[in-house]
Amino acid sequence: MEIRSLEELRAADDLSLAFNPYGLGGRMKPEDAAEFQQRQIADCDLTAGVAAGTRDSFERLRTVFAYGVLCYDVYTIVGDQALLIYEQALRDRFLEWCAGTITFRVPQAPDVSYTVSSYDDVKKRADRMTRQRAKLVVTNQAIEFNGMLHGLRLWARTAGLLRGRRSRSVEEALARLRNYVAHPSGHHVDTPVEAARTVRDLAELINQLWGQATPGGRLYPAPLRREVAVLSWNGSGRARMEPANALTVPGPLEDQDDEYQHVVVRAIPFVPGSRWDDAHWAEFDTRYETTRFPTDYLWGPGTREEARAWLEQERPEGDSVGFTDRVFLVQDQGRLLPPMRPAVAAGLPEDERLGVWHAVRADFPDDAFAHVRGSKDRSAGHARHPGNCPACSAEVLGSGSYDQALRAAAAALGPIQAVQLPSVRLPLSMFWPDRP
């Protein structure tokens, strides 16, 4: 091993300097690179209440990450260690959740409870109970639990601490990467980009385990702000979205609006370039879920003047809405129709309840639609029975007749109150080729 001087150890690693705000390219100055890399994870703060052990391990990651500018291999070390902290966070949260007592369901015997004071106690007890084919009791459900990472992930999902269908796929990927790090079979190198993303994902997961969603998060985003907006369209297919307050004062669009229809909705604002903009706002349909995020009908259709009068009288306000783990109903009448909210489906007349229906839990309507379409091809590997789909980010709740699918949705959501909305359909795109 070559012994380097302190001055050499302090010198920036030329490879680290190649990563700049625009990607790979010209080398940054060492002082600029040091600030830039630290800013990549500077906002990854953990919520109050996170277990001390998990918090200390995470903060050590953030401290060490800054030294990647001096030694490129630090990024690989940080990325690997972050994957190991993934399991530590689950263990710490499990101990808080069980509050010193774990209960197992033994076949053909009463449930048994045990006192535990550390995760070593949990692991030893889980090993013994697994040999007896016992299952851990979690909120009145019994799950397979051996105390390892897979059991912890299943516990966190069953306990409702982790959410989202797409994030579940990321959790599985992180688990595979963690196992690779814990049981390596070769050499690998992480980039600063990969290491920072792993740290950010870890921060989101830890915060979610302790009940805190992440504003703008990739895995467990906080509810999005919706505003009251007016959607307008004409017979030639032109459409526009305006904030409701744009109607309070007559503008240059007034003289052009004779051929337009208007509806008032509560929707995610369309902000081009934003991660959370809803590029499908112009496909709004009161019957089908054709927008990416939940869009609620409030009034219309009518003239611009009528919309203004309704807004001045009712003065609706914006709100915040979550969009993960939504439940959709998909109807198959020989061709698939777009996903529908259960409440809308519950209000359908008898003659429109025909065909095969599928109740699906997904984050986005196109995820539910793609799953049902894929499940028609047996070779695609999509789940056809209740449970998580191994081929996509959806969960099957039930399939069959209209009544069977609606009951499956009610089992997941609770009582469903039927709603009947006027038929409003904005100009189409090719997003829903099978739409009637």
Side-chain angles (χ1 to χ4, degrees), residues 47-250:
T47 187
V50 171
T54 295
R55 182 182 298 278
D56 291 346
S57 295
F58 182 81
E59 292 303 332
R60 181 169 56 198
L61 277 185
R62 292 212 293 183
T63 298
V64 174
F65 184 88
Y67 290 88
V69 173
L70 304 179
C71 177
Y72 189 81
D73 286 335
V74 165
Y75 297 121
T76 303
I77 295 171
V78 168
D80 289 356
Q81 188 61 30
L83 293 167
L84 298 178
I85 296 174
Y86 175 25
E87 183 170 3
Q88 178 188 355
L90 286 166
R91 289 184 171 209
D92 284 349
R93 187 66 182 93
F94 182 92
L95 278 177
E96 291 186 6
W97 171 84
C98 74
T101 303
I102 54 176
T103 301
F104 288 89
R105 186 155 295 163
V106 183
Q108 301 178 341
D111 292 353
V112 291
S113 298
Y114 301 95
T115 300
V116 293
S117 58
S118 68
Y119 199 80
D120 285 340
D121 293 343
V122 173
K123 183 64 173 63
K124 291 175 182 177
R125 181 56 62 183
D127 288 341
R128 294 171 189 167
M129 299 309 293
T130 298
R131 290 193 291 270
Q132 299 178 37
R133 295 180 297 157
K135 296 182 177 181
L136 180 72
V137 177
V138 181
T139 59
N140 296 323
Q141 299 184 58
I143 63 169
E144 302 285 349
F145 184 78
N146 61 2
M148 303 293 283
L149 180 58
H150 175 76
L152 284 165
R153 289 177 47 229
L154 182 58
W155 155 76
R157 281 279 167 176
T158 306
L161 299 178
L162 297 179
R163 59 183 172 85
R165 297 293 94 197
R166 290 195 173 188
S167 59
R168 177 176 162 271
S169 299
V170 178
E171 292 162 18
E172 292 176 351
L174 290 174
R176 289 193 295 271
L177 290 171
R178 177 266 174 202
N179 291 336
Y180 175 80
V181 169
H183 311 285
S185 58
H187 179 73
H188 71 282
V189 177
D190 274 357
T191 67
V193 177
E194 293 168 325
R197 183 175 58 215
T198 304
V199 171
R200 298 188 69 86
D201 287 349
L202 176 63
E204 282 198 48
L205 185 138
I206 292 172
N207 283 335
Q208 181 60 41
L209 284 173
W210 271 269
Q212 179 64 54
T214 301
R218 186 174 85 97
L219 302 184
Y220 312 101
L224 300 179
R225 178 69 184 174
R226 292 194 302 185
E227 300 295 346
V228 177
V230 177
L231 305 182
S232 310
W233 74 100
N234 63 11
S236 62
R238 296 182 178 178
R240 64 173 181 258
M241 172 189 280
E242 302 172 80
N245 58 19
L247 271 67
T248 57
V249 178

